[in-house]
């Protein structure tokens, strides 16, 4: 039918590049890129198309070589740059390591093997230098078992090598958001009544701070989190019918302050237009409305 045919081209995810390119992933595994400067539209060819719906994407931060990464079930493709919709790309099966009894961070040797049941990717994020890719992944048969996997992009985007991973637990919670500050990854996790923040470096060895020191220190269930380019971390919590936003500084996750909100936060954004300007914190609420603070 015409409606079924139209559904195949329904957009499933979208992301902007620094150079003003909008990539849109589709239900049928294809994608399109609109250039806001030239108004040209490129569509995926045979090498760029996925065999299942595109679920996540991100651009490498670059004005001159804004490589595009797109994910579908058990597959990630990374372009060598973006001059056209056809590219030499990475497409490999990825295995979710066995879930341990507690949260874990470890190094993984070499390339991950194929996973029989498949993985769903809900987020992809390039590191500041573009050498690493952080993903939020879960088995297609157990979508609540979310974990974070770090991949190193090698040989001009022709290989993805798994290097670190973090599996949540009942104490720290399940990861739901990841943000990069340079080569330091900030992971936001939540439980039914709390939440936590962890940091992972692209290469193990250095101190990797986390918060809170005691799970009972969280003021409520974490609802959202964010990070500014200048290293200010914000985490929002539901506290009954009201909310609370806690602010931290990187790299030590040093507590900087808190803001009480009139409702439960559902989303937040941190803005810092220039190095000299103060941050602006925008918070949206479950019941509607937005409030803005200068922090």
């Amino acid at each position: 039918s015409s409606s079924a045919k139209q559904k195949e081209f329904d957009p499933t995810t979208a992301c902007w590049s620094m150079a003003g390119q909008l990539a849109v992933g589709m239900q049928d595994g294809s994608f399109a890129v609109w250039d806001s400067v030239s108004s040209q539209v490129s569509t995926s060819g045979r090498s760029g198309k996925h065999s299942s719906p595109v679920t996540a994407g991100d651009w490498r931060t670059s004005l001159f070589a804004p490589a595009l990464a797109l994910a579908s079930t058990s597959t990630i493709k990374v372009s060598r740059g973006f001059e056209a919709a056809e590219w030499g790309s990475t497409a490999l099966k990825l295995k979710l390591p066995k879930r341990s009894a507690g949260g874990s961070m470890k190094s993984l040797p070499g390339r991950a093997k194929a996973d029989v049941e498949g993985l769903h990717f809900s987020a992809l994020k390039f590191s500041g230098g573009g050498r690493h890719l952080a993903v939020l992944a879960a088995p297609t048969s157990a979508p609540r078992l979310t974990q974070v996997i770090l991949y190193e992009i090698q040989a001009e985007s022709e290989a993805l090598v798994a290097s670190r991973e973090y599996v949540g637990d009942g104490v720290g919670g399940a990861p739901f958001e990841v943000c990069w500050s340079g080569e330091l990854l900030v992971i936001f996790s939540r439980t039914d009544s709390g939440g936590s923040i962890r940091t992972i470096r692209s290469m193990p060895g250095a101190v990797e701070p986390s918060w809170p020191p005691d799970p009972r220190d969280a003021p409520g269930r974490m609802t959202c989190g964010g990070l500014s380019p200048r290293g200010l971390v914000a985490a929002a919590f539901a506290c009954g019918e009201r909310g609370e936003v806690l602010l931290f500084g990187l790299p030590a996750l040093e507590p900087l302050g808190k803001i009480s909100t009139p409702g439960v936060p559902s989303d937040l954004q941190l803005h810092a237009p220039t190095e000299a300007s103060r941050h602006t914190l925008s918070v949206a609420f479950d019941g509607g409305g937005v409030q803005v603070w200068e922090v």
Side-chain angles (χ1 to χ4, degrees):
S1 67
S2 60
S3 60
K5 202 168 186 179
Q6 181 66 35
K7 188 174 181 180
E8 292 179 357
F9 298 95
D10 282 349
T12 52
T13 188
C15 54
W16 282 96
S17 75
M18 177 184 282
Q21 296 164 303
L22 176 64
V24 181
M26 306 293 183
Q27 182 74 21
D28 70 341
S30 65
F31 71 93
V33 175
W34 175 65
D35 190 314
S36 63
V37 177
S38 65
S39 295
Q40 292 184 340
V41 177
S42 301
T43 57
S44 55
R46 184 172 299 174
S47 72
K49 187 174 180 179
H50 290 238
S51 59
S52 59
V54 178
T55 57
D58 193 30
W59 292 89
R60 182 175 64 198
T61 303
S62 172
L63 286 171
F64 306 105
L68 174 64
L70 294 172
S72 57
T73 301
S74 295
T75 301
I76 298 174
K77 294 188 177 186
V78 183
S79 73
R80 293 177 178 172
F82 197 83
E83 296 179 354
E86 287 283 346
W87 62 45
S89 58
T90 295
L92 64 157
K93 297 291 184 178
L94 304 170
K95 180 178 173 59
L96 186 69
K98 291 184 178 180
R99 187 175 174 83
S100 60
S104 64
M105 283 182 286
K106 63 184 77 171
S107 295
L108 299 175
R111 185 177 296 192
K113 297 180 182 178
D115 180 29
V116 175
E117 64 185 354
L119 285 179
H120 173 79
F121 297 103
S122 56
L124 300 178
K125 294 287 179 69
F126 277 104
S127 65
R131 291 184 54 200
H132 296 87
L133 190 66
V135 306
L136 278 174
T140 53
S141 60
R144 291 176 60 88
L145 299 182
T146 309
Q147 77 166 81
V148 178
I149 308 175
L150 260 60
Y151 293 97
E152 183 179 355
I153 302 171
Q154 296 184 344
E156 296 184 348
S157 301
E158 291 191 357
L160 287 179
V161 177
S163 59
R164 308 288 310 275
E165 58 99 7
Y166 170 70
V167 181
D169 57 26
V171 178
F176 70 92
E177 180 67 79
V178 292
C179 302
W180 286 98
S181 177
E183 295 297 316
L184 179 69
L185 182 68
V186 180
I187 302 171
F188 298 89
S189 303
R190 62 182 164 215
T191 65
D192 291 338
S193 59
S196 64
I197 308 171
R198 301 191 70 98
T199 59
I200 296 179
R201 296 189 180 275
S202 52
M203 296 300 294
V207 176
E208 298 175 325
S210 62
W211 179 93
D214 186 322
R216 292 170 295 183
D217 291 344
R221 182 176 186 268
M222 188 182 292
T223 59
C224 52
L227 170 66
S228 81
R230 285 161 48 191
L232 180 64
V233 178
F237 299 84
C239 308
E241 296 182 355
R242 302 174 69 84
E244 194 168 284
V245 178
L246 302 185
L247 302 174
F248 304 86
L250 290 178
L253 279 180
E254 174 190 2
L256 299 178
K258 66 179 179 179
I259 297 172
S260 296
T261 64
V264 175
S266 59
D267 192 17
L268 65 81
Q269 296 289 331
L270 281 165
H271 306 274
T274 67
E275 288 293 326
S277 66
R278 300 187 66 180
H279 284 84
T280 299
L281 171 67
S282 305
V283 179
F285 302 105
D286 272 348
V290 176
Q291 193 162 345
V292 180
W293 291 264
E294 193 176 65
V295 295

